[in-house]
Amino acid sequence: MNLNDLRIDRQKWMTWKNILPLRDALESLEDGTWHVETGDVVKISGEFDEDKINKVAKLMMPWRKGPFEVGNTYIDTEWKSNIKYNLLRPHFNLKDKRVADIGCNNGYYLFRMQEDKPKSLVGFDPSPLYKTQFDFINHFVKSEIIYELLGVEHVEFYEEKFDTIFCLGVLYHRSDPVAMLKQLYKGLDKQGEVILDTFYIEGEGEMCLCPESSYSKIPNIYFVPTIGALKNWCSRAGFSDFEVLETAVTDSDEQRKTKWIEGQSLEDFLDPDDNTKTVEGYPAPARVYVRLIKDKK
């Protein structure tokens, strides 16, 4: 697969009629030097044209992952992504590692990962909107993060192998989860690891929920496995080790409507009379976080 040809072709996405005005707004931002803090909120401080910053940020709605603060503009994203990041933080050390984030959205986790001083950081996400949001934040951060308009299916063909791959909230969108896990496996260097999260259902058996048409109002959810079934998928994909790091139920503190998104959020996806169920009657979203090892030493 020729990724350079694909990159050239996908760069044309930036000229789409809904994206080009955002790119033009981005280009209008003045250059400068700013102070950056990458804690729970990625904060950028310094001298700004505050009205312009707010206007450009609002053009780029909806903002899903964050939060970010640029001057006086607080981007209160749909997801408090710091909750997931802080849950996982004790389980990894990225110093001097080649790191990828698959489905990186606007790069919130990548900005946070800089604190570990990895050798390289590469984000994969085939969304021109999310890439533009990343470019907006990175205009101020000035990081060396590489953002690729590529998907998980391109990882195995990438020009370098990775020591650590994060793949958070992607697996359940794939109709062939084992094939996707094999793609992650092939993208790793020897002894490489994947930090993965996906929806799961409780149960002792090795089985999956297969939603009829949608799950939590999301149409492209194909399989929601028990942890036992997920372990079997990972084994079939070739991983030699499977470690459950955490489990968590998604709640309205982590995901909710804000003025920075459009449309619905978690409160609209759950049964209004029983928040342990989705509107379809399935178990409410819960996530399992696992570490997968390519080859034990």
Side-chain angles (χ1 to χ4, degrees):
M1 181 179 290
N2 190 322
L3 292 185
N4 283 331
D5 285 350
L6 193 59
R7 289 183 179 106
I8 292 169
D9 187 60
R10 294 193 172 186
Q11 193 61 33
K12 298 174 185 175
W13 294 357
M14 296 304 179
T15 63
W16 289 353
K17 65 180 181 180
N18 63 318
I19 299 297
L20 187 57
L22 310 184
R23 303 302 305 185
D24 290 342
L26 189 62
E27 289 297 322
S28 72
L29 296 176
E30 295 179 358
D31 202 3
T33 302
W34 297 276
H35 177 68
V36 180
E37 298 177 47
T38 53
D40 284 357
V41 180
V42 177
K43 292 184 179 181
I44 300 157
S45 56
E47 294 186 6
F48 301 97
D49 180 338
E50 296 287 358
D51 290 339
K52 187 173 189 178
I53 293 297
N54 189 265
K55 181 179 178 180
V56 173
K58 285 184 175 178
L59 278 177
M60 297 180 183
M61 290 171 56
W63 288 81
R64 301 296 183 189
K65 303 298 174 69
F68 300 97
E69 185 174 299
V70 185
N72 293 331
T73 296
Y74 182 77
I75 304 174
D76 188 14
T77 49
E78 177 185 11
W79 287 85
K80 290 182 181 177
S81 303
N82 56 293
I83 293 176
K84 180 181 291 191
Y85 191 83
N86 293 340
L87 184 73
L88 288 173
R89 188 66 190 87
H91 300 292
F92 63 81
N93 182 353
L94 307 179
K95 184 171 174 53
D96 297 327
K97 291 183 179 180
R98 295 160 296 172
V99 180
D101 183 5
I102 311 301
C104 66
N105 198 273
N106 56 33
Y108 171 85
Y109 298 126
L110 292 165
F111 290 121
R112 296 287 307 270
M113 291 172 192
Q114 292 178 102
E115 66 183 357
D116 270 22
K117 303 188 184 310
K119 183 177 181 180
S120 63
L121 284 170
V122 183
F124 290 74
D125 205 310
S127 166
L129 172 62
Y130 297 154
K131 171 67 162 65
T132 301
Q133 291 177 350
F134 167 82
D135 288 341
F136 172 72
I137 298 299
N138 204 43
H139 173 81
F140 307 103
V141 176
K142 301 182 183 297
S143 77
E144 296 183 359
I145 297 167
I146 298 169
Y147 194 114
E148 300 279 10
L149 285 170
L150 303 174
V152 65
E153 65 272 21
H154 304 116
V155 175
E156 63 181 290
F157 305 105
Y158 201 67
E159 289 83 356
E160 66 174 334
K161 299 300 181 184
F162 296 99
D163 302 302
T164 301
I165 295 177
F166 290 83
C167 188
L168 308 176
V170 177
L171 187 64
Y172 45 71
H173 290 309
R174 295 285 162 159
S175 60
D176 190 340
V178 176
M180 196 203 92
L181 289 164
K182 288 179 179 179
Q183 291 163 345
L184 295 174
Y185 180 93
K186 292 175 182 177
L188 289 171
D189 205 346
K190 294 179 180 180
Q191 282 95 50
E193 64 177 356
V194 171
I195 307 294
L196 177 93
D197 96 85
T198 192
F199 291 147
Y200 82 104
I201 55 170
E202 296 286 353
E204 296 298 325
E206 298 154 331
M207 62 190 73
C208 296
L209 166 66
C210 301
E212 180 181 4
S213 58
S214 67
Y215 173 78
S216 198
K217 287 193 177 181
I218 308 170
N220 60 337
I221 302 291
Y222 294 95
F223 301 104
V224 184
T226 61
I227 292 176
L230 177 62
K231 183 177 181 180
N232 288 350
W233 291 352
C234 297
S235 177
R236 284 174 177 258
F239 289 99
S240 64
D241 197 46
F242 176 97
E243 177 190 2
V244 175
L245 303 177
E246 302 282 353
T247 60
V249 175
T250 304
D251 61 26
S252 57
D253 182 46
E254 184 176 9
Q255 182 190 16
R256 71 275 188 267
K257 289 180 183 178
T258 76
K259 67 179 183 179
W260 287 90
I261 71 165
E262 299 161 344
Q264 299 181 330
S265 191
L266 180 65
E267 64 192 72
D268 305 293
F269 306 155
L270 301 180
D271 184 328
D273 299 317
D274 183 357
N275 64 8
T276 67
K277 295 180 180 179
T278 69
V279 291
E280 300 91 352
Y282 300 124
R287 293 175 182 267
V288 59
Y289 301 84
V290 300
R291 185 199 319 277
L292 310 175
I293 305 296
K294 183 171 183 176
D295 299 297
K296 285 186 176 180
K297 293 182 180 179

